[in-house]
Every structure is written in C-alpha cells, then in structure tokens.
Amino acid sequence: MLPRHVYVHVPFCARRCTYCDFAIAVRRVVPVDEYLAALGRELELRWGSEAREQVGGGPWTLDTLYFGGGTPSRLGAEGIARAIDLVRRHAELAPGAEITIEANPEDISAEEARGLGAAGVNRVSLGVQSFDDPTLAWMHRVHDAARAERAVEELRGAGIENLSLDLIFALPGESGTRSWERDVELALALEPAHVSLYGLTIEERTPLGRARARGAVTEAEEERYESDFLHAHAAMTAAGLEHYEVSNFGRPGLRSRHNSAYWRLVPYAGLGPGAHELRVSAGEQRRRWNDSAYAGWVRTLAAGRDPVAGEESLDATNRVAEEVYLGMRTREGLVLRDGEIEHVAPWVEAGWGDLVRGPGGESILRPTPAGWLRLDALAADLTAFRSR
C-alpha cells in the first residue's frame, strides 16, 4: 500500500536547546546542497518507480507532506521549495494537500514567508515555546517574544493562515520569570489556527539533564504539570479551539491532518536522518527507522545504500498496545470490546473518561483531560486486560 503521507526530517539547528534530545545537527552554515542531494537519493531508493512496484506500483498521490526537525526553516524558503520539488518528481500532491513546515521565529522574514507560500507551503508550525524573554534565553532559544509575534504577522501577510504555535509547559522554577497563564493568554491573542503543547520532560543526555544531575535544576512537580495542562485546556477550549488530541488544539476543520494519520495507524513514509515510517503490506505492519546521525545518513546514501538502521514487524501484542494507546490519545476515543465497559467503569466514575455510543451503537471510551494526564498508565492497564 503506497502511503499518502510523507514526513521529511531536516536535522539542522542553530544551537541545541537545553531540553532537546532529538536527532539534530548543529550547523552555523547549513549544507543545503549536500542535504538535498542525499534526500533525492533516498527518494529514488525508497520511492522511485522500481521501488514503488514492490508495494503496489501505480501513481503515488500524497495528502500530506510534513517537514519536521530539527528546524526545517533553516533550509530557507528556496531550500524548502527544492525539497518539495524532489518529492514531486515521484509523487503527485492531491488537490488541497496539507504541506507543513516546522519553523523558528528568527528564520521568518517577510521575504522568506512569501517564498514559503510560493513553494506551496500552506501550514506552518511555529516554535514559540514561551513569550517570556528570560525564559527563552534560559532554553537557549534564539528568538525573543517580539520576534515570534512578527513571524506570525509576516506569515499571515504572505497568505499562510494555517498557523500552529508550539508552547512548553511545566518548566522548572529555575527557568526564569515565565507565567504560564500569561503565555497562554498571549498565544490566544494571536488567534492561531492550532496550538501544540508539550510538557517538559528532562532527558538525561541533554544540558538540562546534566544540570539536574548536579542539582542545579529540579523537574516540575506532578501537581504543577497537571495544573498547567488543565489551565491550558480550559482557556483554549473557551477560546473556541477543540482539544482533539492529548497535546493538540485546533479550530474546527484545522486539525493537523498529517499527525492525525499517525494516530490512525495508516501507512506513512519517513525520509531524512532519524525518520521513522510505517509500511503496510498484505496485512503486515512494519516500522522502519533511519540512521539518526546526519553524517552517517549522507555517507550511506552517497554509497547508494538504504540508510535504514532498523525495522520491526508489529505482532499481535504490539498492535493491541498501539490500538489502545492511539485510540485513547484522541478525542474520537477507543471502541471498547465485550467485558471492557465494566473494566473502565471506575475510570468513568473518577472523571477520567466518558462512555458514549458510536454511530453503530458501539461503546466508546473518550478520555477527559484528567484522563489524558494518566494516559500511559490507563493505556497500559487496558492493553494488559485486552491481551489476556
């Protein structure tokens, strides 16, 4: 089955943020030509006409194309346009296809915004994170709050209205003067089409992880995490955004179509260092992932080899776990099987979920925001019950 969704990982960043544990490549000068040459080779190896014959053949049509990172906007509008053209050599973009790039505010000028629009980009996920300048400096972000607001104006001036803002909550007390309530208020004042929230998790191999190890930073307590999350839910839904997935809010009709494909467990292609993809063939689901090191990815492709670093077949147990977890992380909820209504009844009583009837009379569990705060534990419990 040919995927209708493509993710392209662009690893470049101007600097590593204090909390970042992603597959990135810090470069003062971005090697745009080298990156695009490697991307072109990977597209030909994975999705050229001969490769497509192995998964059904025929024309390849895409509903979504997503450039994530890293910081894709570091390629510049011209680099993004060239990357889109590489994809178009192998696939047709469906009418109204969603083309998203992740961008940092400091990369967006009026000229760059116009270039992105001319290239076909119609959705931008902007890494704002906070509107508090001392907190942004503590994170090692390059931009300030004023630059974020100007980036929104410049993108809209170029006709790109489908804007998503990224915000981080549950920061340590050592992070600065930031008020989460004020950040939410300022984000909503920009009237975004979409907002994505990320609770800060301190990973060991990050600058924050090292700071925690020496006692310089203390991770936010669970009560703070919960209060920040529930405040955002209340404020954003009151402003007309739908809380449609544990971390995502969108105005009606403006959900992230690309990310929604992940949550439905449909096939998607992944290109670039560290990218993952899901292939479906003859009922078998296989997940593959690339070498995460940029230099290794480039070398492997220059030698004419596929940069895949590993793959796994989703067995029955894995498929149950993914079905439960993905179903419970969206507002659509999870269709329950026989005997499961009684199992989840205490969750409903505790206010962690709602039981509703589907269009075919099926019972559906829809987690509440309080339930989403316990998502990992609830999904693991129901997976174990379903796998008996």
Side-chain angles (χ1 to χ4, degrees):
M1 183 183 296
L2 288 169
R4 299 186 67 90
H5 310 275
V6 171
Y7 173 82
V8 180
H9 188 74
V10 183
F12 308 113
C13 286
R15 63 172 72 168
R16 183 177 286 277
C17 297
T18 57
Y19 50 82
C20 177
D21 191 35
F22 298 150
I24 69 166
V26 176
R27 297 289 189 275
R28 184 175 62 84
V29 177
V30 176
V32 176
D33 291 340
E34 177 186 67
Y35 170 80
L36 292 174
L39 180 63
R41 294 187 190 102
E42 186 174 14
L43 274 161
E44 183 61 37
L45 277 169
R46 293 267 182 90
W47 301 106
S49 57
E50 292 185 11
R52 292 201 304 274
E53 287 297 328
Q54 301 176 21
V55 287
W60 188 22
T61 303
L62 302 180
D63 294 325
T64 70
L65 175 59
Y66 191 106
F67 292 90
T71 315
S73 53
R74 293 278 291 160
L75 290 179
E78 181 183 352
I80 291 292
R82 290 168 60 190
I84 293 173
D85 285 343
L86 286 174
V87 174
R88 280 185 165 134
R89 292 180 189 178
H90 301 281
E92 179 183 354
L93 291 170
E98 179 189 86
I99 305 177
T100 303
I101 74 158
E102 295 177 356
N104 279 348
E106 67 271 13
D107 295 329
I108 302 299
S109 63
E111 181 181 1
E112 285 292 297
R114 288 194 296 270
L116 291 172
V121 173
N122 52 27
R123 185 175 184 273
V124 174
S125 178
L126 199 62
V128 174
Q129 314 310 352
S130 176
F131 292 94
D132 181 72
D133 289 345
T135 300
L136 290 167
W138 176 85
M139 292 180 186
H140 287 189
R141 303 293 292 178
V142 175
H143 71 278
D144 59 14
R147 177 65 262 177
E149 293 173 1
R150 287 199 301 275
V152 170
E153 293 174 4
E154 286 156 353
L155 288 164
R156 285 189 170 135
I160 302 176
E161 295 286 346
N162 194 353
L163 301 180
S164 180
L165 305 183
D166 287 358
L167 297 175
I168 294 180
F169 67 95
L171 294 181
E174 298 87 354
S175 61
T177 58
R178 190 261 196 113
S179 160
W180 175 240
E181 291 76 13
R182 180 174 180 271
D183 269 357
V184 171
E185 180 182 352
L186 290 174
L188 290 173
L190 294 174
E191 299 183 336
H194 190 278
V195 177
S196 294
L197 303 183
Y198 302 96
L200 180 67
T201 300
I202 299 180
E203 305 291 346
E204 289 185 7
R205 296 180 298 174
T206 64
L208 267 186
R210 293 188 287 274
R212 181 180 60 182
R214 63 176 183 268
V217 168
T218 303
E219 199 160 5
E221 64 278 4
E222 289 185 7
E223 292 79 7
R224 168 77 177 287
Y225 190 104
E226 181 171 353
S227 65
D228 280 2
F229 181 80
L230 294 178
H231 172 78
H233 167 80
M236 292 190 188
T237 54
L241 279 78
E242 176 192 18
H243 196 171
Y244 70 95
E245 191 268 345
V246 59
S247 299
N248 289 280
F249 301 77
R251 297 201 182 276
L254 292 174
R255 297 182 177 190
S256 169
R257 289 159 52 193
H258 182 85
N259 289 337
S260 294
Y262 297 154
W263 305 323
R264 297 196 311 273
L265 210 60
V266 299
Y268 56 88
L271 303 163
H276 286 58
E277 69 181 23
L278 180 68
R279 296 193 174 203
V280 178
S281 179
E284 182 186 27
Q285 296 174 329
R286 296 192 66 83
R287 184 171 285 118
R288 297 157 46 101
W289 54 92
N290 280 351
D291 184 350
S292 62
Y294 172 68
W297 176 76
V298 169
R299 282 195 304 268
T300 301
L301 285 163
R305 300 193 307 272
D306 191 322
V308 62
E311 60 181 318
E312 64 179 357
S313 177
L314 300 185
D315 59 23
T317 300
N318 288 339
R319 285 197 295 271
V320 168
E322 297 224 1
E323 179 185 73
V324 170
Y325 184 79
L326 294 175
M328 290 182 63
R329 70 180 294 163
T330 71
R331 190 56 188 155
E332 273 57 54
L334 177 72
V335 176
L336 297 177
R337 299 178 180 177
D338 290 342
E340 292 178 345
I341 294 177
E342 293 78 9
H343 185 76
V344 304
W347 305 353
V348 175
E349 186 176 349
W352 301 340
D354 297 319
L355 277 177
V356 299
R357 286 289 180 186
E362 65 274 21
S363 296
I364 297 174
L365 175 68
R366 287 181 176 169
T368 62
W372 274 331
L373 286 164
R374 297 156 176 83
L375 176 60
D376 289 349
L378 297 182
D381 179 83
L382 188 54
T383 296
F385 182 83
R386 182 170 284 193
S387 300
R388 290 175 185 171

